């Protein structure tokens, strides 16, 4: 596994954005600040084969912005959505319909767009894994491949049917 290491230096523009927050963070132990940032790879270390060291990449913060109090809710909402998109999970029921798992449902907060994003992400993840398993099955006949392709196509269609109302299909 490659290690990610942060360089202690930040770009001038990032430092400028941090300046107003340094004193309040120092004054309040264990304080936190929310930010949106960008980092750039500045160094890559690839150990020689047979050594016990791990590969690593060092990154430097090149750009960041800190929201004010009124903007913080929007940034937290974006973080929640990105986390939901990355972690959405679900299982197929007996009818082939996707049921989102409990932790994914909690993250959606009941918002329809979030539910649909999570459901579609979980469905695509399931059918992508299924297709990869089929790809690694040796010696499939043409009829078996066609059957598996139909299974994937039907599964993807079922995923879309749940996301698109009949009136729009």
């Amino acid at each position: 596994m490659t290690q990610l290491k942060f360089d202690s230096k930040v770009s001038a523009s990032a430092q400028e954005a941090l300046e107003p927050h340094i004193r309040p963070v120092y004054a309040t132990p264990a304080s936190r600040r929310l930010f949106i940032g960008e980092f750039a790879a500045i160094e890559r270390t690839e150990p020689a084969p047979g050594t016990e060291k791990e590969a690593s990449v060092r990154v430097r913060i090149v750009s960041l912005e800190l929201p004010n109090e009124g903007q913080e809710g929007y940034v937290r909402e974006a973080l929640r959505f990105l986390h939901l998109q990355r972690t959405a999970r679900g299982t197929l029921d007996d009818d082939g319909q996707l049921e989102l798992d409990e932790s994914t449902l909690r993250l959606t907060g009941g918002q329809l767009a979030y539910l649909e994003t999570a459901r579609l992400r979980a469905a695509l993840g399931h059918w992508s894994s299924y297709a990869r398993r089929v790809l690694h099955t040796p010696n499939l006949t043409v009829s078996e491949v066609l059957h598996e392709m139909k299974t994937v196509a039907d599964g993807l269609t079922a995923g879309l049917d749940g996301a698109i109302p009949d009136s729009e299909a």
Side-chain angles (χ1 to χ4, degrees):
M1 175 115 176
T2 303
Q3 275 189 330
L4 177 68
K5 298 178 179 181
F6 280 91
D7 189 64
S8 61
K9 297 176 185 173
V10 296
S11 71
S13 65
Q15 183 65 37
E16 183 182 326
L18 289 169
E19 286 295 330
H21 301 275
I22 294 171
R23 191 76 187 145
V25 168
Y26 177 79
T28 311
S31 67
R32 295 173 169 223
R33 291 295 189 270
L34 186 62
F35 68 91
I36 298 171
E38 175 184 8
F39 61 79
I42 60 169
E43 181 180 281
R44 175 182 153 175
T45 304
E46 187 173 351
T51 62
E52 293 185 21
K53 288 194 164 207
E54 289 185 348
S56 68
V57 61
R58 182 175 303 279
V59 297
R60 178 174 294 150
I61 297 174
V62 293
S63 176
L64 65 82
E65 293 297 330
L66 289 90
N68 63 35
E69 213 172 289
Q71 298 165 326
E72 196 170 293
Y74 298 111
V75 175
R76 287 195 187 284
E77 189 71 13
L79 285 171
R80 191 172 117 203
F81 182 77
L82 290 170
H83 177 75
L84 169 68
Q85 162 124 54
R86 180 175 54 82
T87 62
R89 303 283 184 270
T91 57
L92 296 180
D93 65 15
D94 293 337
D95 297 327
Q97 295 298 311
L98 185 81
E99 293 180 3
L100 294 173
D101 70 13
E102 194 62 36
S103 64
T104 299
L105 286 172
R106 270 194 311 278
L107 285 171
T108 66
Q111 294 186 8
L112 181 59
Y114 283 12
L115 282 167
E116 287 304 307
T117 298
R119 198 181 62 66
L120 289 170
R121 172 76 168 84
L124 285 172
H126 170 80
W127 289 111
S128 174
S129 294
Y130 183 95
R132 286 191 202 307
R133 283 192 307 270
V134 170
L135 279 173
H136 295 294
T137 304
N139 304 322
L140 290 177
T141 65
V142 171
S143 63
E144 290 171 326
V145 170
L146 290 174
H147 173 75
E148 294 297 348
M149 287 295 296
K150 181 181 181 328
T151 300
V152 171
D154 291 346
L156 289 171
T157 300
L160 286 174
D161 287 345
I164 301 173
D166 291 336
S167 60
E168 294 180 31

